[in-house]
Amino acid sequence: MFAKTDLPDAIPVFPLPGALLLPRARLPLHIFEPRYLAMLDDTLKTTHRLIGMVQPREGDAAGLQTIGCAGRLTGFSETEDGRYMVTLSGISRFRIRQETQGFTPYVRAEVDWADFQRDLGAVERDPNFQRAPFMELLGRFFEARELATDWESLREADDELLINSLSMLCPFDVGDKQALLEAPSLTDRRETLTALMEFSLHCSEDGSEMMQ
């Protein structure tokens, strides 16, 4: 567990479109670019072992979203050809204050954690969550997108794990992923996720009608 005082003022950030990390969730990554191999080597030397996942701004290759999520490096293996398979465990979201100037080949940023203190707390609950209609919608969304999943695991997952895992895994665009990340609470994230699935299904149905 991390306390607010454990969180550093600056962390390395990994811009990766579509790769969403959320607090108390896990994100597997395959790292092979030399600059990010250097980032990983440097991270392993720290006590916090935090890496910030952040979305690039759409239409601006050099820009980053201001809000990301930091994960602690909790899984690590090296392949024979020098690549890394790692797992980040989500700790807390952050706001980028500014990118720092230095000699590293990767980006580092000064970050502010103040707006996301609830991320360090207990598992979130969604008191208004109606699981049955949500799972029915999810089934239609997966069928329309021709996606497969372990339905038994989804049915058994608690509210936070279910909603956050789907937010991370569903094939939404970068802007939608950012909206899911920035949702203030689990209830807000579930409502955003529901709206995105309904919109996708609506667009699919309209497209089918137009083709007939």
Side-chain angles (χ1 to χ4, degrees), residues 7-15 35-36 38-54 62 64-65 94-113:
L7 298 172
D9 295 328
I11 58 173
V13 294
F14 189 0
R35 56 180 167 168
Y36 296 124
M39 177 189 69
L40 194 56
D41 288 340
D42 291 344
T43 301
L44 288 167
K45 298 172 187 176
T46 67
T47 57
H48 56 73
R49 301 209 307 270
L50 292 178
I51 293 173
M53 297 301 299
V54 64
L64 300 177
Q65 294 284 350
F94 58 84
R95 189 180 302 275
I96 294 178
R97 295 170 56 193
Q98 64 179 8
E99 296 181 21
T100 60
Q101 300 298 317
F103 299 101
T104 60
Y106 54 87
V107 177
R108 288 181 58 84
E110 294 180 7
V111 296
D112 185 356
W113 311 90

Side-chain angles (χ1 to χ4, degrees), residues 99-149:
E99 296 181 21
T100 60
Q101 300 298 317
F103 299 101
T104 60
Y106 54 87
V107 177
R108 288 181 58 84
E110 294 180 7
V111 296
D112 185 356
W113 311 90
D115 293 338
F116 308 105
Q117 293 188 39
R118 79 158 64 191
D119 291 354
L120 299 174
V123 172
E124 277 196 80
R125 304 297 179 189
D126 182 358
N128 300 317
F129 184 32
Q130 298 182 32
R131 183 172 286 245
F134 180 85
M135 295 300 291
E136 190 274 334
L137 172 64
L138 182 65
R140 291 193 289 118
F141 174 76
F142 270 48
E143 182 179 6
R145 288 296 190 99
E146 299 182 343
L147 301 173
T149 190

Side-chain angles (χ1 to χ4, degrees), residues 70-88:
R72 179 176 171 84
L73 186 63
T74 55
F76 171 87
S77 63
E78 185 175 2
T79 64
E80 292 183 357
D81 58 359
R83 294 173 294 163
Y84 292 141
M85 304 296 292
V86 305
T87 300
L88 294 182

